Amino acid sequence: MPTTGGPGSGGAATVPESVSSIAASYQDLTTARIRPEDGCYWYTHRGPVETTELPLRTTNGNPICVRSPDES
């Protein structure tokens, strides 16, 4: 079952179970989405000083993409 956005996210984000099962636990999957520019999942990180977009990564630190960058 996909993970969908929670309160305040508008419910727009949907991450397949195959992605949530390999994503590192410190990331906000409720804001994750695929960027068309690179075919990778990105999420919104809300830190104490700023809010920024970061690539969604596996527990090993690899970006999670649906296509390789050379396919763009």
Side-chain angles (χ1 to χ4, degrees), residues 13-50:
T14 301
V15 178
E17 175 118 11
S18 59
V19 171
S20 63
S21 68
I22 62 171
S25 61
Y26 59 85
Q27 302 165 115
D28 183 1
L29 298 183
T30 64
T31 63
R33 69 224 158 269
I34 298 172
R35 275 198 178 169
E37 300 87 16
D38 62 8
C40 295
Y41 280 92
W42 288 69
Y43 75 100
T44 304
H45 172 75
R46 288 178 176 77
V49 176
E50 65 184 359

